[in-house]
Amino acid sequence: MKLCVAFDLASKDECIRLVKELKGLDLWVKIGLRSYLRDGFLLIEELKKIAEFKIFLDLKLYDIPNTMADACEELAKLDVDMINIHASAGALAMQSIMKRLQGFKKRPLILAVSALTSFDEKGFYELYKQSLREAVLNFAKLSYENSLDGMVCSVFESLLIKEHTSYDFLTLCPGIRGLNDDKNDQARTATVREAKEARADFIVVGRPIYKSLNPRLSCEQILEQIHSK
Ligand code: C5P
């Protein structure tokens, strides 16, 4: 299981400071909407020069199939290691993307977001009139059948997804919190241990790391939990 640190910081300087502080650790960096909309690809280039972290560009694309394929082609040219789309964009969008990226010698991993981890069961039902479990499984099967590489999901759905698709189908789980951490706006949170038990391939941790007094130490403690038996 890999640790992916969300760089959702308020300025480019803070992102640069954080990457310098974490240099040398075995982790991935996740660049999300805030940082990418503000700093664009220059931030990724600068981060890459400082440390050799793999990059997950978390833009959660959602549009008509051709527009999504165009966007994924552009992102693939940026040489990032992982990107994502909303699974609810549907089968045609997935097929167009995977077809478009066929020609790339090295393409990024493509994950699909099932249901945001900020939804609880009640809030999800009110909007979609479906249980989270049912919706996530449908999205996972659709994504697997259309050759995506994996899902963004909560820890509580990771094992379920693998059991209904394949154990090689990746799961990346945000909403990870220690027992004493603030949940913030996350609803379906879980611990590192629970993520391991659910066979998550990646965990995403943001605020508990970048808002801590010692982000490097926070990362090291999480990495220790990942590697402990
Ligand atoms: O600060 P925190 O640990 O809650 O950060 C979680 C990160 O994971 C944020 O960048 C958020 O955008 C992202 N994310 C999420 N839930 C999803 C997909 C992505 O929280 N389903």
Side-chain angles (χ1 to χ4, degrees):
M1 188 165 86
K2 290 280 178 205
L3 169 62
C4 192
V5 179
F7 272 49
D8 298 328
L9 291 144
S11 69
K12 188 171 162 196
D13 284 352
E14 286 169 82
C15 289
I16 302 284
R17 219 175 299 142
L18 183 62
V19 86
K20 283 182 179 162
E21 202 172 336
L22 303 184
K23 190 174 171 166
L25 297 178
D26 178 21
L27 46 86
W28 282 53
V29 164
K30 182 177 91 69
I31 302 296
L33 284 172
R34 182 180 201 176
S35 296
Y36 195 72
L37 292 176
R38 187 189 57 228
D39 304 324
F41 183 63
L42 278 182
L43 172 66
I44 296 179
E45 277 191 324
E46 278 193 46
L47 296 185
K48 277 184 166 185
K49 273 184 209 148
I50 297 168
E52 285 178 1
F53 294 132
K54 294 214 173 192
I55 307 279
F56 168 29
L57 188 50
D58 175 22
L59 300 181
K60 301 186 184 70
L61 302 177
Y62 183 80
D63 211 310
I64 56 171
N66 183 62
T67 305
M68 288 181 74
D70 288 345
C72 287
E73 183 181 341
E74 297 306 330
L75 295 181
K77 287 181 196 161
L78 301 181
D79 198 25
V80 291
D81 302 283
M82 183 152 66
I83 60 176
N84 62 355
I85 64 166
H86 270 287
S88 52
L92 274 182
M94 293 175 188
Q95 288 158 18
S96 318
I97 293 167
M98 298 319 281
K99 196 167 161 214
R100 188 73 71 82
L101 297 188
Q102 260 172 12
F104 279 79
K105 245 193 235 145
K106 183 184 158 253
R107 67 159 177 83
L109 294 169
I110 320 281
L111 304 186
V113 179
S114 54
L116 297 173
T117 39
S118 50
F119 273 118
D120 61 12
E121 190 68 59
K122 187 168 165 279
F124 189 83
Y125 188 83
E126 276 167 11
L127 196 60
Y128 295 105
K129 306 292 173 231
Q130 225 184 358
S131 74
L132 269 167
R133 182 194 150 98
E134 202 184 338
V136 168
L137 271 186
N138 282 340
F139 284 144
K141 283 183 199 157
L142 188 76
S143 309
Y144 180 69
E145 282 160 10
N146 286 291
S147 307
L148 268 69
D149 300 295
M151 300 301 291
V152 180
C153 59
S154 88
V155 162
F156 305 106
E157 293 122 21
S158 170
L159 204 52
L160 190 73
I161 288 174
K162 286 178 182 274
E163 281 165 358
H164 286 81
T165 56
S166 155
Y167 285 92
D168 295 330
F169 193 50
L170 302 171
T171 55
L172 174 140
C173 304
I176 304 298
R177 292 292 185 266
L179 294 175
N180 299 319
D181 288 341
D182 192 337
K183 278 190 166 194
N184 311 108
D185 57 344
Q186 298 284 15
R188 303 196 318 285
T189 60
T191 61
V192 175
R193 173 187 275 267
E194 287 170 316
K196 264 167 79 173
E197 285 166 3
R199 297 178 67 160
D201 298 283
F202 295 88
I203 52 170
V204 176
V205 186
R207 285 161 289 189
I209 290 175
Y210 67 74
K211 283 195 185 281
S212 91
L213 290 175
N214 188 339
R216 188 176 178 98
L217 184 66
S218 303
C219 274
E220 284 170 345
Q221 285 168 345
I222 294 172
L223 289 170
E224 220 174 275
Q225 291 173 50
I226 289 177
H227 295 120
S228 73
K229 294 250 159 94

